[in-house]
Amino acid sequence: MSMATPHIKLADGKHFAKTVLMPGDPLRAKMIAETFLEKAELINNIRDIHGYTGLYRGKEVSVMASGMGIPSIGIYSYELYHFFGVENIIRVGSAGGLSHQVVLRDIVACLGANTNSNFAAQFDLTGTPAPTCSFALLETAVSCAREMGIEMKVGNLFSSDTFYDADENCHKKWAEMGSLAVEMEAAGLYLNAMRCQKNALAICTVSDLPFTGESCSPEERQNTFTDMIKIALETAVRMD
């Protein structure tokens, strides 16, 4: 019997691993599965979102795209956590560097996700939640990066609902609040994980520097950033 939600449909006998790597771009999901996983099978392709399960170092790992923005990752992470038995989601994406501490192609792990999103309003809290990562995932990822000799910076990111913001000083203000980089998904992922007491971590590669105009090409964003992916995969197998 197939398992299905409005956005994910698994055929008979197919399943997600306990840990899912989640890039935004479906083609990056395809690249990760074909490059890094053994015996990778396409298990979901509703809306061409590309979901795979395969083996990395002999252990099951899944990878599926989230699409762009908090509403999109909010849907996919909710369904994975609630209906498909997923315990850990590691976002592997790109981000725009805001801090002078980061340069192009730096890897940053998101400790906490500052945001301008109203996603948390649905929870009807009396205060403001702090979207934060799973310490277990972060500690494991930091350890893996260190053992691999890969520098990975850890700090807060800014999860923005607006790629084209009417406030021209928006990024400068969040940089002044200590945000290392800007992306568009981590806060929604973290809040979903917190609500259902699962684990989430966002690891991003700096693909552009808004203040200087430096950037990687779309092809580079899709097909490279392999150090980030390797850290995430090593983290996944240790969480098994």
Side-chain angles (χ1 to χ4, degrees):
M1 183 176 180
S2 64
M3 173 64 186
T5 62
H7 308 92
I8 301 171
K9 183 177 181 180
L10 298 183
D12 292 354
K14 307 303 180 185
H15 64 276
F16 283 98
K18 188 170 77 172
T19 301
V20 176
L21 270 61
M22 186 160 273
D25 184 352
L27 292 179
R28 187 181 294 154
K30 183 174 186 288
M31 182 277 288
I32 293 170
E34 293 178 348
T35 305
F36 295 97
L37 301 185
E38 297 179 2
K39 301 180 180 179
E41 290 186 284
L42 182 66
I43 60 171
N44 173 65
N45 207 26
I46 302 297
R47 297 175 181 242
D48 288 330
I49 205 67
H50 295 330
Y52 301 83
T53 295
L55 299 175
Y56 184 78
R57 297 193 185 279
K59 295 187 178 181
E60 279 194 335
V61 178
S62 294
V63 55
M64 189 176 80
S66 70
M68 287 190 292
I70 287 173
S72 187
I73 201 169
I75 290 170
Y76 288 111
S77 61
Y78 183 97
E79 293 184 1
L80 289 172
Y81 284 140
H82 284 268
F83 305 117
F84 295 95
V86 172
E87 295 291 326
N88 314 300
I89 296 178
I90 305 174
R91 163 164 156 69
V92 283
S94 56
L98 299 183
S99 169
H100 68 274
Q101 300 174 44
V102 301
V103 298
L104 211 59
R105 298 182 183 83
D106 268 358
I107 300 170
V108 292
C110 180
L111 176 65
N114 300 315
T115 187
N116 59 7
S117 172
N118 201 36
F119 189 81
Q122 64 180 302
F123 303 124
D124 195 28
L125 301 167
T126 57
T128 304
T132 50
C133 71
S134 157
F135 179 74
L137 279 177
L138 178 61
E139 182 180 40
T140 304
V142 168
S143 177
C144 289
R146 186 176 294 122
E147 290 173 15
M148 297 163 70
I150 300 171
E151 181 181 4
M152 182 173 70
K153 295 179 169 67
V154 177
N156 289 347
L157 303 187
F158 169 46
S159 291
S160 180
D161 264 353
T162 48
F163 190 88
Y164 301 104
D165 201 295
D167 180 359
E168 295 181 355
N169 292 314
C170 174
H171 289 166
K172 181 176 183 293
K173 293 172 183 176
W174 283 108
E176 290 171 346
M177 290 299 296
S179 297
L180 295 179
V182 56
E183 51 84 68
M184 301 187 73
E185 287 82 25
L189 172 62
Y190 285 9
L191 288 166
N192 271 352
M194 290 161 63
R195 180 59 183 264
C196 60
Q197 298 182 29
K198 299 285 182 90
N199 300 309
L201 175 66
I203 304 174
C204 295
T205 300
V206 175
S207 61
D208 61 282
L209 301 173
F211 299 141
T212 68
E214 296 175 75
S215 66
C216 298
S217 70
E219 291 76 16
E220 285 179 294
R221 291 196 297 271
Q222 176 184 311
N223 296 314
T224 59
F225 299 171
T226 53
D227 282 349
M228 165 184 68
I229 295 164
K230 290 175 182 176
I231 293 169
L233 286 167
E234 292 293 339
T235 301
V237 299
R238 295 191 190 189
M239 295 296 292
D240 189 31

